[in-house]
Amino acid sequence: MTKKSFSESYKEAGVDITAGYKSVELMKQYIARTKAFGDTDDVGGFGGLFHLDMKDLKDPVLVSGTDGVGTKLKIAFLMDKHDTVGIDCVAMCVNDIICVGAKPLFFLDYIACGKNYPEKIAQIVSGVAEGCVQSEAALIGGETAEMPGFYPEDEYDLAGFAVGVVDKSKVLDKTSIKEGDVMIALPSSGVHSNGFSLVRKVFDVENADLKKPLESLGGKSLGETLLTPTKIYVKPMLHVFDKVQVKAVSHITGGGFYENIPRSLPDGYGVKIQKKDVKVLPIFELLQKEGNIPERDMFNTYNMGVGMTFVVSSEEADAALAAAKEAGEDAYVLGEIVKSDEESVILC
């Protein structure tokens, strides 16, 4: 039926519905990669179907998360590279879900664009599918909206929504945290998807040579470094959950250390971190230098090289580090939990 669907009047207004059909056909090959992670229906219906297997769940709790990529997309436009921002979109959602202790089940995306270029939309979805594969979640549907006059022809926005599940007895309980517990860091892959309004201002990206290799970035270009996809921590954290008792997890997104770490700590407690122990990535050193940004603002805006933290007892710290490293993460001890009624993050 859709093959006969066509409106010349709508096309003259700037919306080509046949381009939408072509986009769906092109993206199906990428969506197929994720079907192994859930008994799902084919894409194209009015709703995405997912069969929830509850045989190992006594009291299942669904956990949801939604987010977008933000103005990092401006870098993708300037670089004309669209196959990685979908990973960011998935990461921002599933990394939040894992903080509760839940395993992601499925994902849906929403792409709004000024003009539907099917090949570009397919590139975006290829990244979304890759993010789903990394987090073992099924991509069960989405929406592409062509919105002429609202977005420039060559620009788009990208957002997503994920749902996960956890047995109620395994929901992480931060109230079990006590003085002397250890906070462990999992390194980030870069700036991830936060603070790009400041990044764009500091580097004047619209006028910068984004493809020029920079010695300060290990020979990588600024554009390549900034577009590095957000790391997805689902698999390593699930592996750690199987090995030790994790008390709390924090996804270090916008707001950096000062906003996100306190969300994983009970009232009356903080974490004492030696600044020298934080493995800061070169991109943050360059950003701070070029923008003359105060250190406090850096740690209150960016992940500074730490994408995720989790808390375990001091007795299980070594086992937790070993488990994270078994899962491919170069984990390290970030700080110690202390009693504190004033500061939740104490950088020394």
Side-chain angles (χ1 to χ4, degrees):
M1 183 181 296
T2 57
K3 291 181 180 179
K4 297 180 180 180
S5 177
F6 176 74
S7 170
E8 186 65 41
S9 298
Y10 207 8
K11 185 176 181 180
E12 289 178 358
V15 179
D16 183 358
I17 57 179
T18 60
Y21 304 145
K22 183 177 180 181
S23 296
V24 172
E25 288 303 312
L26 290 174
M27 67 178 69
K28 281 184 177 179
Q29 60 179 309
Y30 305 115
I31 297 171
R33 298 181 61 206
T34 77
K35 289 181 71 67
F37 307 117
D39 183 10
T40 62
D41 198 9
D42 288 334
V43 171
F46 288 100
L49 304 181
F50 183 89
H51 179 250
L52 179 59
D53 183 358
M54 297 196 298
K55 67 177 182 295
D56 296 323
L57 298 169
K58 294 180 180 179
D59 192 4
V61 176
L62 294 179
V63 181
S64 60
T66 185
D67 211 335
V69 182
T71 64
K72 181 174 185 174
L73 291 175
K74 289 285 190 179
I75 311 299
F77 304 156
L78 291 167
M79 295 286 288
D80 194 23
K81 181 173 173 55
H82 311 282
D83 60 347
T84 60
V85 289
I87 301 174
D88 291 289
C89 191
V90 175
M92 298 305 291
C93 298
V94 298
N95 284 345
D96 281 353
I97 286 175
I98 200 69
C99 290
V100 184
K103 181 188 184 303
L105 296 172
F106 59 82
F107 186 85
L108 293 94
D109 61 31
Y110 175 78
I111 305 169
C113 57
K115 183 175 178 60
N116 187 331
Y117 297 102
E119 291 76 12
K120 181 185 289 186
I121 299 298
Q123 286 180 42
I124 298 167
V125 174
S126 74
V128 174
E130 174 59 27
C132 288
V133 169
Q134 290 183 24
S135 54
E136 297 189 343
L139 178 54
I140 65 171
E143 176 70 14
T144 302
E146 192 171 15
M147 301 169 64
F150 196 88
Y151 293 97
E153 280 198 1
D154 291 327
E155 295 192 3
Y156 55 85
D157 198 8
L158 174 62
F161 174 85
V163 171
V165 68
V166 60
D167 202 293
K168 189 174 182 179
S169 64
K170 294 184 179 179
V171 173
L172 301 187
D173 179 17
K174 68 180 182 181
T175 63
S176 64
I177 289 175
K178 66 180 189 299
E179 189 174 20
D181 285 345
V182 173
M183 180 169 285
I184 291 173
L186 299 183
S188 71
S189 56
V191 185
H192 284 185
S193 300
N194 306 106
F196 270 84
S197 294
L198 180 54
V199 165
R200 289 165 44 234
K201 177 184 176 183
V202 169
F203 292 124
D204 187 18
V205 295
E206 282 78 10
N207 299 304
D209 184 352
L210 295 178
K211 297 183 179 182
K212 178 183 177 181
L214 298 177
E215 186 177 344
S216 59
L217 297 177
K220 290 186 177 181
S221 69
L222 180 61
E224 179 186 5
T225 301
L226 293 177
L227 271 187
T228 301
T230 305
K231 185 181 285 190
I232 292 177
Y233 297 97
V234 171
K235 289 182 183 178
M237 284 310 308
L238 288 175
H239 183 71
V240 172
F241 292 157
D242 283 341
K243 300 295 184 179
V244 297
Q245 182 64 49
V246 175
K247 299 185 179 186
V249 179
S250 180
H251 181 200
I252 313 301
T253 56
F257 282 35
Y258 287 104
E259 183 176 319
N260 293 289
I261 289 177
R263 296 164 65 184
S264 66
L265 300 175
D267 291 342
Y269 287 87
V271 59
K272 189 175 183 180
I273 300 170
Q274 300 292 333
K275 283 184 286 190
K276 63 179 178 61
D277 292 336
V278 181
K279 297 180 180 180
V280 179
L281 294 175
I283 183 60
F284 297 112
E285 296 172 342
L286 180 62
L287 179 62
Q288 183 175 8
K289 178 183 176 182
E290 292 293 321
N292 193 28
I293 302 171
E295 182 180 73
R296 166 81 191 207
D297 288 358
M298 291 296 296
F299 278 93
N300 209 155
T301 307
Y302 298 105
N303 66 62
M304 300 302 287
V306 178
M308 184 160 281
T309 66
F310 63 92
V311 179
V312 295
S313 68
S314 58
E315 293 80 9
E316 289 200 289
D318 287 342
L321 288 169
K325 289 176 181 178
E326 286 171 3
E329 291 293 326
D330 188 19
Y332 61 93
V333 172
L334 181 66
E336 180 182 2
I337 304 300
V338 296
K339 287 186 177 180
S340 176
D341 292 319
E342 297 180 3
E343 291 284 344
S344 295
V345 177
I346 305 162
L347 279 170
C348 306

